């Protein structure tokens, strides 16, 4: 029996993730066979089973990786904004714009929803907690009306997530994005202190 080092195991995992991400993005989850995927990675099915359990587990890991990258992009917007409210608005709009990015559209918004039922509960909790933190700060600054920040974050996150699904499902994604962006501005104006 061949013992693999930790670095070799991590490299195998990274190779499987990178290959799956490319294959799922190009062909979709349903059209991607495990044999083709492992052949492209130059690995065995055993490696896939060892690291991810099965093809569905591999999809969940790819979605987790993309979710983390999306979160980092959004966090950068918040961290670099000169105006807290404008940063919050931009962050929400960029989230919707991501629904048109082919990889996010196919893997996160279509395949993950069909196969996994959407993003993981952990990812959703993280997104809501991040938004809650921003809203708490906006409330303390007197920009957003005082209310329960977790409830408000949950409502805004839910609206954004459903709008992203709606944008990604249509052939007219750019038109849907424009309409959703206008509706988002209307919705978010409602939370501002009058």
């Amino acid at each position: 029996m061949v013992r693999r080092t930790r670095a070799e195991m991590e490299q195998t995992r990274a190779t499987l993730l990178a290959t799956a991400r490319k294959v799922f993005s190009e062909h979709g989850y349903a059209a991607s066979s495990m044999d083709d995927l492992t052949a492209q990675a130059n690995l065995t099915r055993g490696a896939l089973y060892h690291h991810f359990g099965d093809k569905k587990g591999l999809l969940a890991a790819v979605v987790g990786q993309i979710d983390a990258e999306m979160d980092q992009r959004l966090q950068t917007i918040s961290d670099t904004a000169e105006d807290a409210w404008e940063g919050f608005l931009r962050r929400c709009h960029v989230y919707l714009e991501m629904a048109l990015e082919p990889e996010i559209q196919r893997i996160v918004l279509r395949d993950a929803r069909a196969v996994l039922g959407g993003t993981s509960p952990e990812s959703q909790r993280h997104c809501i907690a991040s938004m809650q933190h921003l809203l708490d700060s906006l409330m303390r600054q007197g920009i957003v009306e005082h209310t329960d920040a977790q409830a408000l974050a949950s409502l805004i996150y839910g609206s954004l997530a459903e709008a992203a699904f709606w944008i990604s499902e249509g052939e007219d994604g750019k038109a849907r994005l424009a309409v959703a962006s206008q509706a988002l501005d209307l919705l978010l104006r409602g939370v501002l202190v009058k």
Side-chain angles (χ1 to χ4, degrees):
M1 185 166 127
V2 178
R3 290 264 183 213
R4 302 233 181 255
T5 66
R6 179 181 210 96
E8 289 172 325
M9 296 289 281
E10 288 173 4
Q11 181 57 45
T12 297
R13 187 179 194 328
T15 298
L16 282 165
L17 274 171
T19 303
R21 190 166 169 166
K22 179 179 181 291
V23 171
F24 292 160
S25 181
E26 291 173 359
H27 306 289
Y29 176 84
S32 303
S33 78
M34 289 197 332
D35 289 334
D36 289 342
L37 201 146
T38 54
Q40 285 191 41
N42 238 0
L43 295 165
T44 64
R45 269 186 175 221
L48 187 146
Y49 289 132
H50 173 76
H51 288 280
F52 302 103
D54 57 13
K55 184 177 157 188
K56 190 174 177 180
L58 181 57
L59 175 63
V62 168
V63 170
Q65 186 180 62
I66 296 170
D67 273 347
E69 291 168 8
M70 291 170 66
D71 183 58
Q72 184 57 52
R73 287 169 61 187
L74 296 173
Q75 191 59 49
T76 299
I77 291 168
S78 298
D79 292 346
T80 59
E82 291 183 24
D83 176 271
W85 176 249
E86 289 302 318
F88 184 78
L89 279 176
R90 182 74 193 125
R91 180 181 173 129
C92 292
H93 279 281
V94 167
Y95 182 85
L96 292 182
E97 291 165 11
M98 287 180 188
L100 293 181
E101 294 178 24
E103 183 181 56
I104 292 170
Q105 188 177 85
R106 175 168 260 173
I107 297 173
V108 177
L109 297 173
R110 291 183 180 168
D111 287 346
R113 191 173 201 188
V115 177
L116 306 172
T119 58
S120 72
E122 178 184 315
S123 176
Q124 291 175 9
R125 281 191 297 274
H126 176 76
C127 289
I128 292 169
S130 177
M131 188 169 284
Q132 178 182 349
H133 173 73
L134 294 169
L135 289 167
D136 272 330
S137 176
L138 290 166
M139 287 176 201
R140 282 193 307 276
Q141 293 174 53
I143 297 168
V144 169
E145 289 283 351
H146 281 274
T147 189
D148 185 285
Q150 184 177 15
L152 185 57
S154 296
L155 287 166
I156 295 171
Y157 168 77
S159 298
L160 288 170
E162 285 304 313
F165 287 128
W166 180 71
I167 291 165
S168 74
E169 290 168 354
E171 294 298 319
D172 55 344
K174 287 183 182 180
R176 286 183 178 209
L177 173 61
V179 171
S181 293
Q182 289 175 347
L184 175 64
D185 286 336
L186 177 64
L187 177 75
L188 292 179
R189 276 197 305 268
V191 304
L192 292 172
V193 171
K194 306 295 187 264

